[in-house]
Amino acid sequence: WGDPTLDTLTYGDEFTTDNIHYTTTFAGTITTDPDMLDTYPNAGEYPLTLTFTPDNQNYNPAVANRTLIVKKATPVIEWETPDRVEKGTQFARNATAAGIEIPNAPAAGAREDVEGDFVYDPTLPVTLDQVPEQTLTVTFTPTGNSATNYEAVTVTRTVEVFTKVPVTITWATPVDIYYGTALGLAMEMDQRGILDPEGKIQLNALATTEDGTKVDGRYVYIPEEGNILPAGRHELKGTFTPTDSDTYE
């Protein structure tokens, strides 16, 4: 029956006759001693005696000694990390580990529990402050009975870390208006002596970055535009909210 060989298995694989490779011109059956066919062996090495028994009783059985190797499985690590955060964000979410899918389990996809220890680098909780990205690593080492069938595994995540661009608000001292004039609607003349609709005298704050780039957003004034104020001095307040709040603060 030639020179029979065995597949290398991983814990969780079923050992069947499909994993025994040989050539023969006769029909027959193959057995192993010890009998491990149609089982899910633990990780390790198993010396086996393989016996091929021809259906034709005019021929003697063929025997060979081989070693079945079953490698350790890799645990499945679940670790939810953010894709993008602002500098200074705290992160403390722990990872979880699961084993192989349990063969013939009543619940499809059910996985074996795995004992072990998690080691995080950097240690959790961690402040994400390395711009533009920070690397997080967790190493899971199986312990107890799980160490027999599972190997240690390291998972790495990369998180984008950004800093918001500071915004400066420029707001000149409002020009006086006469009683009866709606707040914010009074306009100033441009260089040609024409009323400039963008030149509102009172509510004309401007948000820019350090290099003078205008920042789009929403201005909220108190009192609101259109109010007619009584005669006297009034304090005006303005709040600016950038449209791109992920980029500007």
Side-chain angles (χ1 to χ4, degrees):
W1 65 328
D3 185 19
T5 60
L6 301 178
D7 290 333
T8 296
L9 305 183
T10 299
Y11 174 64
D13 292 340
E14 184 179 14
F15 179 48
T16 71
T17 54
D18 291 338
N19 303 121
I20 305 174
H21 303 282
Y22 57 93
T23 57
T24 179
T25 57
F26 305 105
T29 58
I30 190 166
T31 57
T32 69
D33 184 20
D35 183 11
M36 295 185 63
L37 289 173
D38 302 321
T39 67
Y40 297 85
N42 289 329
E45 296 187 2
Y46 300 89
L48 299 178
T49 298
L50 309 178
T51 301
F52 176 77
T53 304
D55 292 342
N56 189 332
Q57 296 182 0
N58 292 319
Y59 295 91
N60 292 322
V63 178
N65 295 315
R66 296 292 183 267
T67 299
L68 173 65
I69 298 175
V70 182
K71 299 187 298 183
K72 293 183 178 183
T74 301
V76 177
I77 303 301
E78 296 288 344
W79 194 22
E80 185 179 345
T81 57
D83 294 324
R84 186 172 186 266
V85 298
E86 184 178 359
K87 179 181 179 181
T89 299
Q90 288 279 317
F91 176 74
R93 185 180 295 276
N94 291 321
T96 61
I100 62 168
E101 289 192 10
I102 302 173
N104 305 315
R111 290 187 174 274
E112 200 172 66
D113 293 332
V114 183
E115 301 175 71
D117 298 322
F118 291 93
V119 175
Y120 299 90
D121 183 19
T123 302
L124 300 183
V126 59
T127 300
L128 302 177
D129 57 5
Q130 298 179 13
V131 180
E133 62 183 27
Q134 188 160 349
T135 299
L136 306 175
T137 300
V138 59
T139 297
F140 175 74
T141 303
T143 59
N145 294 332
S146 296
T148 300
N149 292 319
Y150 293 93
E151 61 184 0
V153 59
T154 297
V155 172
T156 299
R157 298 282 190 269
T158 300
V159 181
E160 180 183 351
V161 181
F162 67 92
T163 54
K164 291 187 178 182
V165 178
V167 175
T168 299
I169 303 299
T170 303
W171 191 6
T173 302
V175 174
D176 293 341
I177 57 176
Y178 289 100
Y179 171 69
T181 302
L183 183 64
L185 298 182
M187 301 178 187
E188 60 184 351
M189 299 290 185
D190 63 15
Q191 294 179 348
R192 298 169 298 171
I194 301 174
L195 287 176
D196 181 3
E198 296 299 324
K200 296 175 182 178
I201 297 176
Q202 289 80 38
L203 310 182
N204 58 353
L206 179 64
T208 61
T209 60
E210 186 178 2
D211 62 4
T213 302
K214 181 180 177 181
V215 179
D216 293 330
R218 178 171 178 264
Y219 298 86
V220 175
Y221 296 97
I222 299 176
E224 296 179 350
E225 180 177 339
N227 273 276
I228 297 178
L229 305 179
R233 296 181 63 84
H234 300 274
E235 180 182 71
L236 304 181
K237 294 183 179 180
T239 301
F240 174 74
T241 303
T243 302
D244 185 358
S245 59
D246 286 340
T247 301
Y248 301 99
E249 64 179 1

